[in-house]
Amino acid sequence: MTAQYRDSAVSRRSVLRGAAGLAGAAGLAATAGPAAAQVTRRRNGPPRNTVAVLGAGIGGLTAAHELAERGFEVTVFDRKELGGKSRTIPLPGTGSDGRLPLPGEHGARGFTSFYHHVHDTMRRIPLPGTRNTVHDNLVPFSVNDPRYPRANNLPDGFPLMFGFYFDPRQALTPEGLQRILIEGFLKNNLIPLPEAIHMAGRVVTFLTSSEERRFGQWEHVSWWDFVGAASRSTQFQSLAATGLTRALVAAKEYVASTRTMGNMMESFFIALLQELTGGPKVYEVLNGPTNEAWLDPWITLLRDMGVQFRPGHALDGFEVAGGQIGGARIRTPDGSTQLHQADWYVCAVPTDRARGLWSPEIRGLDPGLARMDELTVDWMSGMQMFVTEKLELGAGYNIYLDAPWRLTSYSQCAFWDVDYAAKYGDGNILDGLTIDISDWDTPGILYGKIAKHCTREEIYQETWAQLAAALNDDGKIQLKDGIVRDWLLDPGISWQNGQNQSDEPLLINTIGSWAARPTAHTKIPNLFLAADYVQTNFDLATMEGANEAGRTAVNALLDAAGSPAARVTMFARDSVPAFEPLRQMDAARYRAGQPNLFDLG
């Protein structure tokens, strides 16, 4: 990563001002009409304004949206259904008497207040028949609302606020922040005092680290090693190391880079300070199934803008002609293959499928794409349990720190404004529990097997057992036996020859993986990348990362086309302005080969 990119990508805004200043630019982008794009012409030829978007996940849909606003003719292909891993998956055969099938999802889907790109897109999607937008379908809740139920009669854990309020101004100095963190870690004897002091020091070390040190040092150190988890208590490992990486984000503490994990920690910390000073709540979820609350209105808008969709049409490869992409080989639902030609190609398929598309010819044109072979993908999928009683599980959102499979769940009716029995299923289902399974490689408590080696039924039984171990361990039965009427495991998980397969694995950020990730514009003149493996400011396989990648790809395409259309609005990563002098000092220390001022090991 060049210094020039770092400086432009991480320009900082005040933590308490938020993104308001940049959001206004979205209106300018929206004014770019067809004429602006169509003036970009081939020499002695027609306008170069046709785009094939290959992949209809969040990255692909974002690219299609921004391109259509600027007058490009866009066709979107996807091998499955529109929406990618974010789509709702109806449970077949469960709707009766005019009700809809039970709404399945890939897992528990949360939004945070630092998802600036996704929120900007949502605000531009109208809800038909109302004056609202899709953004109005987000239900915010306090950072104190998610519960961290513990198993084995351990006291429940707390999120970043640790169950108490504090003066945000006191967190803007290293000394004040350390005091707040130590007090929080000690609450309810979560971890011993020496470990609380140590962890507080590691947090301050990262927050005062310069971008140079984050990329040059912390990118190459695992979070597990950075916090010194190996030599500390099981409680410390569960809360400070594993809890943050696996429960809050899609990562594994042994291999996740400290730069990635620290940036996420910093974002949560800033979002917390904003909430305490009257800003938006840290957490949000949709008020209904993702298709109903977000994707269906979005796709309707894009169709109205002229976007053509081809679900069930898989990208099999690219044809190369004259040093650029000459066409995309598309496998149609009937099994035949067609060559689709466009002026520009935006590839938004996931990591594992993208690198399978890089033929020797393509790798010859852009040798850097070969480094994608070094990227790691792993399973992160979920299930829904549909129950005959309305669930009362706190505020509805739970993170299970002691569950070997690192489970997260939310109760649908805690956030969905719907008469569940009247709308879904057979009339007997009153609620749904949506669950993320983040760790498929740790033995469970019921069968002693990792999830990847379990049958479908064993995954269900093991997941239930781990939930019950945390929710029913204090004598109060919050999860009753016999209430599950039906359940759905992510259909991306399948069994072939007795072995589990994941058809939609997720990119996992690992130590040093930044260098293996491509930029949005390849060295092939008309090929752009718009998936969450692209080098982006957000830097994590999430809806926000995919949205940012889609925007980055469109801006690169506009530059390559010489288009006069307004560039897509981009949002910088937040940081704490009060720590800026310390970060500048740390940059000088890093260049001099010295450790961070607070890095005491």
Side-chain angles (χ1 to χ4, degrees), residues 334-542:
D334 65 8
S336 64
T337 300
Q338 301 175 352
L339 186 67
H340 179 84
Q341 293 181 306
D343 297 313
W344 310 99
Y345 299 84
V346 177
C347 185
V349 301
T351 309
D352 57 316
R353 297 194 176 273
R355 57 193 177 194
L357 298 168
W358 309 147
S359 65
E361 197 170 11
I362 286 179
R363 292 176 184 232
L365 292 173
D366 187 349
L369 292 175
R371 294 212 62 183
M372 283 186 63
D373 294 340
E374 303 171 23
L375 296 177
T376 299
V377 297
D378 208 340
W379 300 15
M380 187 174 182
S381 301
M383 67 165 46
Q384 282 71 47
M385 298 181 183
F386 302 102
V387 299
T388 54
E389 293 185 8
K390 187 172 180 180
L391 298 167
E392 300 293 342
L393 303 179
Y397 200 97
N398 292 314
I399 298 174
Y400 304 87
L401 292 176
D402 298 306
W405 290 0
R406 303 300 166 193
L407 307 177
T408 306
S409 76
Y410 76 85
S411 309
Q412 293 175 347
C413 285
F415 305 104
W416 295 7
D417 183 17
V418 64
D419 183 338
Y420 210 95
K423 188 171 183 177
Y424 302 111
D426 61 2
N428 295 305
I429 306 298
L430 301 185
D431 206 343
L433 188 65
T434 294
I435 305 155
D436 252 345
I437 303 173
S438 299
D439 187 337
W440 289 74
D441 295 298
T442 298
I445 63 174
L446 191 62
Y447 300 106
K449 297 162 62 175
I450 66 173
K452 290 177 180 176
H453 292 169
C454 288
T455 66
R456 186 179 299 272
E457 178 69 23
E458 287 172 342
I459 290 174
Y460 163 67
Q461 294 291 348
E462 180 70 58
T463 301
W464 176 270
Q466 292 183 31
L467 294 174
L471 293 170
N472 299 341
D473 72 326
D474 58 0
K476 180 181 178 181
I477 304 300
Q478 300 178 74
L479 206 57
K480 301 177 184 177
D481 287 333
I483 64 172
V484 178
R485 178 68 173 266
D486 216 331
W487 55 275
L488 171 69
L489 179 65
D490 185 342
I493 307 299
S494 62
W495 280 257
Q496 298 179 13
N497 300 320
Q499 295 293 319
N500 296 16
Q501 308 284 333
S502 178
D503 190 49
E504 298 180 86
L506 196 68
L507 173 70
I508 301 297
N509 290 56
T510 56
I511 302 164
S513 62
W514 174 265
R517 295 165 61 180
T519 58
H521 192 182
T522 70
K523 292 182 179 179
I524 302 172
N526 61 344
L527 177 62
F528 306 85
L529 307 179
D532 52 19
Y533 53 79
V534 169
Q535 287 186 352
T536 58
N537 197 23
F538 194 75
D539 189 33
L540 196 69
T542 57

Side-chain angles (χ1 to χ4, degrees), residues 3-350:
Q4 181 180 6
Y5 180 86
R6 287 199 300 267
D7 292 342
S8 63
V10 296
S11 57
R12 296 182 172 87
R13 294 175 282 117
S14 167
V15 61
L16 300 183
R17 285 199 304 267
L22 288 176
L28 176 62
T31 65
Q38 290 177 355
V39 298
T40 302
R41 296 177 178 271
R42 298 185 183 93
R43 292 180 181 177
N44 303 317
R48 300 185 63 188
N49 68 342
T50 60
V51 185
V53 175
L54 306 151
I58 300 303
L61 293 177
T62 299
H65 189 164
E66 302 295 348
L67 288 164
E69 279 191 345
R70 289 156 179 81
F72 286 82
E73 298 176 14
V74 181
T75 304
V76 180
F77 299 87
D78 196 276
R79 69 189 180 96
K80 290 186 176 179
E81 300 172 23
L82 306 180
K85 283 183 70 69
S86 296
R87 72 188 187 277
T88 302
I89 307 167
L91 182 57
T94 56
S96 63
D97 297 326
R99 300 179 190 86
L100 297 173
L102 294 168
E105 306 269 346
H106 280 267
R109 183 167 298 113
F111 299 75
T112 64
S113 58
F114 52 87
Y115 274 19
H116 300 313
H117 295 92
V118 165
H119 286 169
D120 175 66
T121 295
M122 287 180 155
R123 290 187 180 98
R124 293 153 53 202
I125 304 171
L127 288 174
T130 75
R131 301 180 65 180
N132 293 337
T133 68
V134 161
H135 189 264
D136 295 306
N137 283 340
L138 287 172
V139 180
F141 53 102
S142 171
V143 74
N144 264 344
D145 287 344
R147 289 194 312 160
Y148 287 55
R150 306 290 305 277
N152 305 314
N153 293 312
L154 291 171
D156 285 352
F158 292 90
L160 294 176
M161 289 180 69
F162 308 110
F164 70 96
Y165 286 90
F166 55 86
D167 185 345
R169 293 171 296 183
Q170 296 178 12
L172 300 182
T173 66
E175 297 80 9
L177 178 57
Q178 284 182 304
R179 181 193 62 78
I180 290 168
L181 290 171
I182 291 169
E183 182 179 350
F185 287 129
L186 290 177
K187 187 175 178 65
N188 291 329
N189 297 313
L190 292 177
I191 54 177
L193 176 59
E195 294 185 342
I197 294 172
H198 168 75
M199 187 61 193
R202 302 315 286 157
V203 171
V204 170
T205 295
F206 186 85
L207 294 182
T208 58
S209 288
S210 62
E211 289 300 311
E212 289 91 335
R213 188 180 302 280
R214 294 185 188 193
F215 277 98
Q217 181 177 0
W218 302 139
E219 168 68 9
H220 306 283
V221 177
S222 74
W223 182 255
W224 181 265
D225 289 338
F226 176 75
V227 300
S231 60
R232 288 176 169 83
S233 68
T234 301
Q235 284 179 282
F236 179 92
Q237 293 171 356
S238 179
L239 287 168
T242 307
L244 178 64
T245 55
R246 303 203 189 187
L248 297 183
V249 298
K252 293 187 176 181
E253 66 279 9
Y254 297 105
V255 297
S257 82
T258 294
R259 182 185 65 83
T260 296
M261 296 310 307
N263 285 345
M264 289 300 103
M265 174 188 67
E266 182 177 50
S267 295
F268 274 105
F269 171 65
I270 292 169
L272 166 60
L273 296 185
Q274 290 175 334
E275 179 177 321
L276 288 177
T277 53
K281 301 294 186 183
V282 174
Y283 290 98
E284 299 169 305
V285 295
L286 289 166
N287 63 1
T290 307
N291 279 13
E292 296 179 30
W294 179 15
L295 296 182
D296 287 347
W298 196 6
I299 292 164
T300 297
L301 171 66
L302 297 186
R303 283 197 168 108
D304 290 344
M305 296 168 67
V307 175
Q308 301 292 314
F309 289 100
R310 301 287 186 268
H313 288 65
L315 172 63
D316 272 355
F318 293 103
E319 297 290 334
V320 175
Q324 64 177 6
I325 301 301
R329 295 192 303 274
I330 303 296
R331 179 165 34 85
T332 64
D334 65 8
S336 64
T337 300
Q338 301 175 352
L339 186 67
H340 179 84
Q341 293 181 306
D343 297 313
W344 310 99
Y345 299 84
V346 177
C347 185
V349 301

